[in-house]
Amino acid sequence: MRVLGVESSCDETSAAVISSRGDDATLDSLVILSQDVHAIFGGVVPEIASRAHLAAVAPVVRRALADARCALGEVDAIGVTNGPGLVGALLVGVSFAKALAASLGVPVIGVNHLEGHLFATALEDGAAVPPFTALLASGGHTMLLDVPAWGEYRLLGATRDDAAGEAFDKTAKLLGLPYPGGRHIEALAKEGDPSRFRFPRPMLHGGQRAGDADYYDVSFSGLKTAVLHAVRDAERRGALDEERPHLARAFQDALVETLAAKTVRAAVEKGRTRVVLGGGVACNAALVSAVRERVRAQIGGDAAVFAPSPRLATDNAAMIARAALFHLARGERSDLSLNAFSSMPLA
Ligand code: KG4
Ligand code: ZN
């Protein structure tokens, strides 16, 4: 069975083809077209994103099919992200997928973008399957989930304000780095002295107990404000250029320690030996190694941490096709009334 995936929830137009044999799925092709235009504005402009998806979606799908050597007539089903995301952007992918499915006479299935992120690692590693603890950290979401089985998602905690990627992007802006800023902060932080600054670890303190409202939740707006004050102080001293790597390092250390501590806390509490990371922030090597170290120390040698390769961590259609395959195997289908939603709960 061959599934075509389509993703257009934010600023990436993406299409992918996967093949399945039983429980096994292999990635035949993946095309991701990133809309660089938003860098000029320092953030995604929804109207521009929708128009760019409209121009790109047909050629991107055509290219994914060609790369997979898959003729249109060989597509057995289409999976498409229908939320959460920018509604105008989502509608481009949803309308395209519905029209193509109708013309080919194959089923279409709407996929929750967040569920897609949970499936990303499974495409690369057959062991990245439930039960596991999941940390989804992207530009729009930061969620900690307990996943006893595919299709069963229990929300343990989330951010109370900024998403982790958003915190990276806003901090990058404060430091005068390009958008999106996550990878620029990571690169700069490598040259930073970890002892030069220390920022508070938000919502992470001794004495927290299971059941406390802040046990699994995170918050990054206070951290961002702490960076802002340190940046202003460095500017006053005329020392921002030399302090920039140290500030990036201190910010990343605070955010990473908070996310890693809460993720492993959840795994220990729920008795999970697998941890799956997803979303653009999972590209951050410091985060992945911090989670690995904590898992090793607190759970032990038989525990495993799975992080997707950067191409599958950020927004892509391969993960959407993989999640679609799971729902199709359960006999689920959408129909032509399939709509797009800006918010769409996963749990
Ligand atoms: O999952 P994604 O591609 O899109 C959303 O659904 O939001 O995530 C994009 C986010 C951006 O905020 C970006 O700065 C962040 O992921 N990101 C990173 C890194 N690479 C991308 N954050 C930290 N370190 C990185 N290496
Ligand atoms: Zn995403």
Side-chain angles (χ1 to χ4, degrees), residues 9-12 113 117 137-141 164-169 179-186 252 278-285 313-315:
S9 65
C10 190
D11 57 348
E12 260 90 30
H113 178 84
H117 275 301
S138 69
H141 300 273
E166 190 181 357
F168 267 103
D169 295 340
Y179 173 88
R183 65 192 167 89
H184 299 287
I185 293 210
E186 180 175 15
Q252 182 174 277
V281 180
C283 294
N284 189 285
T314 51
D315 289 350

Side-chain angles (χ1 to χ4, degrees), residues 252-275:
Q252 182 174 277
D253 283 354
L255 184 140
V256 158
E257 188 183 333
T258 307
L259 285 180
K262 301 238 166 175
T263 304
V264 180
R265 174 183 281 180
V268 169
E269 204 78 36
K270 301 293 166 192
R272 304 300 182 207
T273 54
R274 285 191 283 265
V275 173

